[in-house]
Amino acid sequence: QVQLVESGGGLVQPGGSLRLSCAASGSIFSINTMGWYRQAPGKERELVAAITNGGSTNYADSVKGRFTISRDNAKNTVYLQMGSLKPEDTAVYYCNADILVYGSSWQYIDYWGQGTQVTVSS
């Protein structure tokens, strides 16, 4: 069984910063891409940032220059450092990971965290 557990969400004023963490645990052989998505009320879930196991990153245009994604492969953990936060960043943030596991065969499975609320408001 594999779990992704997120932490670090909360309420922050515009212009402030937050750091999200997501730790994967369980029967993990390796992790390919890890990422963060977000979903605001009434909107579809969107990619915020992703990072490969080699460290290549990509970001949504709306967060470039403000957010930084990183990972600690030894800890199976991905981070999202968010700065210069805006009210439009308010959303539930979800961690995602492409994890190699063994069931009846080796396969990569997409796992999701439970989500953490980020609210940017004065």
Side-chain angles (χ1 to χ4, degrees):
Q1 192 77 356
V2 173
Q3 280 190 315
L4 299 182
V5 179
E6 299 135 338
S7 60
L11 173 65
V12 63
Q13 291 187 341
S17 300
L18 276 177
R19 188 193 196 208
L20 305 182
S21 300
C22 172
S25 62
S27 301
I28 298 169
F29 182 75
S30 70
I31 304 177
N32 192 3
T33 299
M34 304 184 82
W36 291 94
Y37 289 72
R38 67 186 181 186
Q39 188 167 19
K43 295 188 176 181
E44 292 188 354
R45 191 173 297 189
E46 63 175 358
L47 174 68
V48 176
I51 183 168
T52 68
N53 55 8
S56 297
T57 60
N58 69 289
Y59 295 91
D61 288 342
S62 59
V63 306
K64 282 181 181 177
R66 300 188 298 121
F67 291 9
T68 301
I69 190 170
S70 61
R71 64 190 281 175
D72 184 334
N73 291 331
K75 296 181 179 180
N76 291 333
T77 299
V78 63
Y79 306 96
L80 185 68
Q81 180 67 47
M82 304 184 292
S84 301
L85 282 161
K86 305 175 182 180
E88 50 264 44
D89 294 317
T90 296
V92 177
Y93 284 70
Y94 296 90
C95 174
N96 172 266
D98 193 27
I99 299 176
L100 182 62
V101 298
Y102 186 82
S104 56
S105 63
W106 288 106
Q107 56 185 323
Y108 277 98
I109 296 178
D110 220 24
Y111 287 91
W112 292 89
Q114 79 284 357
T116 186
Q117 177 70 46
V118 172
T119 302
V120 185
S121 175
S122 55

